[in-house]
Amino acid sequence: MFFFVYLCNSSQNYSIALEMQIKKVITLIILALFSYSSSAQSVGLVLSGGGAKGFSHIGVIRALEENNIPIDYIAGTSMGAIIAALYSVGVTPDEMMAMFRSKDFESWYKGEFEKGYATYIYRRETSAEMVGVSVNREQDRPVIKLPVSLIAPYPMDLAVMQLFASSSAASGYDFDNLMIPFRCIAADIANKKPYTLRKGDLGSAVRASMTYPFLFKPIIIDSILMFDGGFYNNFPWDVMVEDFDPDFIIGSKCSNNSLQPDSEDIISQIENMLMVETDYSIPEDLGILIDVKFQDVAIMDFHKLDQIAEVGYNTAQKYIKAIKEKVPRLVTPKELSEKRMGFRINTLPLRFRDIEFVGDGLDQKEEEFIRRTIKNNRPGISDHEQIKRGFYRVVATGLVNTMYPQAVINPDSTFNLHLRVTKKAPVQLSIGGNISSSSLNQGYIGLQYKQFAANPWRINGDFNLGRYYSGLNIGYRQDVGINPLWFYEANFTVHRFDYFGGSQTEFFANRIPSNIQESEVFTTISAGTPVNIEKNMLAKFSLYIGKNFYEYYQDDNFTTYDTPDRTRFSYISPTARILRNTTNYKQYPTEGIVQELSARYTHFRENHIPGSTSLSRTEESNNSHNTISVKAYFKQYFNLANFLTLGVSADLTLSNRTYLGDYTSTLLYMPAFQPNPHSKTLLLSQYKAPSYLGVSLSPIIKISNSLFVHFQASYFQPHKKLEQTPEGLPQFGKRFPLGSFMGNFAFVWQSPVGPISLSTAYYDKEEVKWYPQFNIGFQIYKPKALAN
């Protein structure tokens, strides 16, 4: 009985103990679950648009990473979409900063060919064009096609493909499968609503989200024309909630709703017409808003990268304590690094097997020309470098209007390049010239027709009219083959130069005879091929056939009864050249290289007829001449600091050119040292010689991306100086006389239509030494046939 009672009591005690143990276990499980729930709290990061201000998001992300705050989801609009997409594929804040500091990024947002990829082979001879439009034929009538963007889209399009194509393929084209699940917003302006991009090509999603009207050309996704998502949702925290529903949202805001439109600011007017007011406030129970404020940052102030990112970092630091109170979960640097490496290891190098065309804008021959040009006529696999170089070659032909690239993965882990191409209208009309405070006012009209074919050809006409220069040029060119690539061309030119030496300035009277005219009529037949297409080196052989006419008075005191001296000669001149040009501007460049090595033989017959003001001769004379000349020219710009560039140039010309009928005609015929735009507009006797060396140093102070102060100091050293005898005849003085200095100062704004400059030129040995001028446009003229 006692044993039974003992067993009963023991059993009861065991039940009580077991119940207590069960309660403890349940309590621990509940605590563990609660603890796990707290530590597993998910965090979403939302980045607003804002142009260059969006660089502040990099600073915000750096601050979050340094404090081990997790980012589980990310979304953004416009510039915020770019930063968010980069972070979603594993790019670190430091890597972003390095990329945005690079010259490559500068070319992307400026729309310029990346350094080393510009193609000189297709470049037309420089003209005074300021504005150009395309002319197409629609419904049996000509229609002018205005440009749809100020910035050429090609560098940016290639960049987003290069940055995101491999990651996009690694995710299976599903943005949920990126290292950080991602969303961005574009604008469907046809239906006037935001468009959330969740899958597909990541680069195209980013490109659509940042397509600001008139700056970048829109692209098509899902048959919809896409623009900047900031128009309808510049801060997509609502998309973050809808798609990911994180436990906590961190918002980084660097923009505001549009202010009242300014009658003097077209950008503010466009924003007010198109943008819907955005809700930038995140409810307190959902998250926290990091509000980054700026006073002096414009939408395109990308050069302020470091300053902007630092403001974002410092602002975010003020919110870290509050964020940590809401987000106790931490992610160590090691965990984040392993996550990055885990995603990156699945990305593939961009290796392209084939090129496919999207849409029906091209015929078979046009597609084949693009395919062969991009692949350089080489079968098999092409790496991204080859595709990029070939892509720029196609763009340089001027035959395409749109060429949007996408890299699409193949089953064998290579990619195909998909291209959406539209042709440029065949007829191009351009206008330009120069508006000057001096006599150098100039008008220019150009007309060009291009035929897109297996071997494309073009015909062009250029007409210039001005007091100093008037001319007409008609040209034809055809490009043949791909590898090797060569071209042939023919040009007919008739032009005239009137030298009004003193009339360019009101501060001095005329010192040079005011009626010296130099006219040329010539035909040029040329063939050329790249020597090294990657370095833009071009070999060109030309044959010049023409006539020159010099007409002038030997005295300023001539009347209508006087007759001028006339020198005429006909010539044939074969010329061989090796050329290179990678400069960034047609006039007043600030970077790049120009190189020329040329050799020329000229045979000509001269006829000289003295006029009534001739100082010596009274009878007509005829002579034959055979000359040989060699020229070596070099110019390069060196970047010494962020604000300082130094240009260095040298011009070595060697020839056996000799006397013509009198001093003036000989002076006109002599090679000239002309290192700056203004020096090409005067007949400078102290800077001409058969053989000479000219050197120049050009410090350039950079005030902004388009505002510069150019200085130039030049020295001209002739082998023998041309002199005039008292009888008006030419003669050469002693060898290596004291040379001449030349200076030029110009305050230049490189505007969208060309340079606007306030300048003064100085010539130390000329009677008139100073030439202050204000110019809007280009002082560019068709080169003389026998210039050097």
Side-chain angles (χ1 to χ4, degrees), residues 43-47 56-74 83 87 93 248-252 288-290 312-324 327 329-333 336 340:
V43 178
L45 178 63
V46 181
L47 310 179
S56 62
H57 301 319
I58 303 174
V60 171
I61 292 172
R62 176 182 279 119
L64 296 176
E65 281 196 354
E66 286 180 1
N67 288 276
N68 301 327
I69 295 171
I71 300 172
D72 301 297
Y73 310 102
I74 195 164
I83 305 299
Y87 194 73
F248 192 79
I249 296 175
I250 301 171
S252 178
I288 197 167
L289 178 65
I290 300 173
Y313 177 83
N314 292 335
T315 304
Q317 291 289 1
K318 301 175 184 178
Y319 294 83
I320 294 299
K321 182 179 179 182
I323 293 172
K324 285 187 172 181
V327 184
R329 172 179 157 233
L330 301 178
V331 175
T332 66
L336 186 58
R340 281 196 173 100

Side-chain angles (χ1 to χ4, degrees), residues 124 277 341 345 381 410 488 505 629 720 736:
R124 273 195 64 199
E277 189 168 296
M341 292 307 298
I345 202 169
I381 304 297
N410 291 319
Y488 66 90
T505 175
S629 61
K720 289 188 286 187
F736 301 109

Side-chain angles (χ1 to χ4, degrees), residues 341-394:
M341 292 307 298
F343 180 79
R344 287 185 175 185
I345 202 169
N346 293 319
T347 60
L348 298 167
L350 287 178
R351 299 168 62 249
F352 294 89
R353 179 171 296 281
D354 201 1
I355 298 173
E356 299 179 5
F357 294 88
V358 179
D360 54 359
L362 304 177
D363 62 32
Q364 186 175 352
K365 288 184 178 180
E366 293 163 347
E367 289 182 356
E368 189 58 29
F369 171 79
I370 292 176
R371 183 178 285 110
R372 289 187 298 121
T373 301
I374 290 179
K375 300 199 68 159
N376 202 26
N377 216 21
R378 296 172 180 168
I381 304 297
S382 301
D383 61 15
H384 180 262
E385 181 75 9
Q386 173 58 52
I387 293 295
K388 187 175 183 178
R389 195 170 296 283
F391 183 95
Y392 276 128
R393 284 177 62 185
V394 174

